[in-house]
Amino acid sequence: MKYKVDGKEYPCCTSLTMKYIGGKWKSVILIHLKDTTLRYSELRKMIPTVSERTLSLQLKQLEEDGLIKREVIPTEKPPLKVEYSMTDFGRTLTPLLEMISSWGEEAVKWDSKVEEIEE
């Protein structure tokens, strides 16, 4: 079975899943949002190696895909307060994200090239 989203074809369910969470940062962003609502600056602190531009683009894509929601909260003074949280659709990924994280913990044990470093 093939699938089509926004004019782009996906040959299988795996490739469709990767459309949503593929890339270096989407799953990292989602794992941070799985249990909480965070502001952009909080996400930026949690993922210091991602550039601001990339984080903004990934958040926008996740929002367009319906996995997260962006809520603008009016404030008396600029800048506006913007919060991100997972949608119900996004929360369906929680078991998968937790499995990916667990697999990463196992990979550390198996792959001699993986080196644990202190923050």
Side-chain angles (χ1 to χ4, degrees):
M1 175 86 49
K2 287 184 181 180
Y3 303 91
K4 194 176 209 177
V5 179
D6 297 327
K8 186 172 179 186
E9 284 191 19
Y10 298 88
C12 64
C13 289
T14 301
S15 64
L16 181 62
T17 301
M18 295 311 293
K19 170 235 186 293
Y20 290 103
I21 65 165
K24 188 173 179 179
W25 301 111
K26 286 183 180 179
S27 57
V28 176
I29 293 166
L30 290 168
I31 201 81
H32 284 297
L33 291 174
K34 75 179 182 76
D35 295 320
T36 191
T37 297
L38 296 170
R39 294 182 66 186
Y40 177 89
S41 60
E42 293 171 315
L43 278 167
R44 186 82 176 92
K45 287 177 189 169
M46 293 174 163
I47 317 168
T49 54
V50 67
S51 71
E52 288 190 31
R53 181 178 188 277
T54 299
L55 180 58
S56 293
L57 288 171
Q58 297 290 279
L59 287 167
K60 185 175 181 177
Q61 287 177 356
L62 289 166
E63 183 184 10
E64 287 172 358
D65 287 341
L67 298 177
I68 66 170
K69 66 181 176 181
R70 177 182 186 266
E71 186 176 359
V72 178
I73 300 160
T75 58
E76 290 183 27
K77 294 188 234 178
L80 294 173
K81 185 176 178 182
V82 179
E83 294 181 336
Y84 296 91
S85 60
M86 289 182 84
T87 62
D88 289 340
F89 178 46
R91 275 191 281 285
T92 65
L93 284 167
T94 298
L96 176 62
L97 295 168
E98 289 172 346
M99 288 176 67
I100 289 170
S101 184
S102 292
W103 187 88
E105 291 171 13
E106 286 299 311
V108 168
K109 298 173 192 172
W110 286 87
D111 189 342
S112 61
K113 296 180 299 261
V114 176
E115 185 179 332
E116 195 170 332
I117 56 174
E118 304 245 350
E119 289 186 47

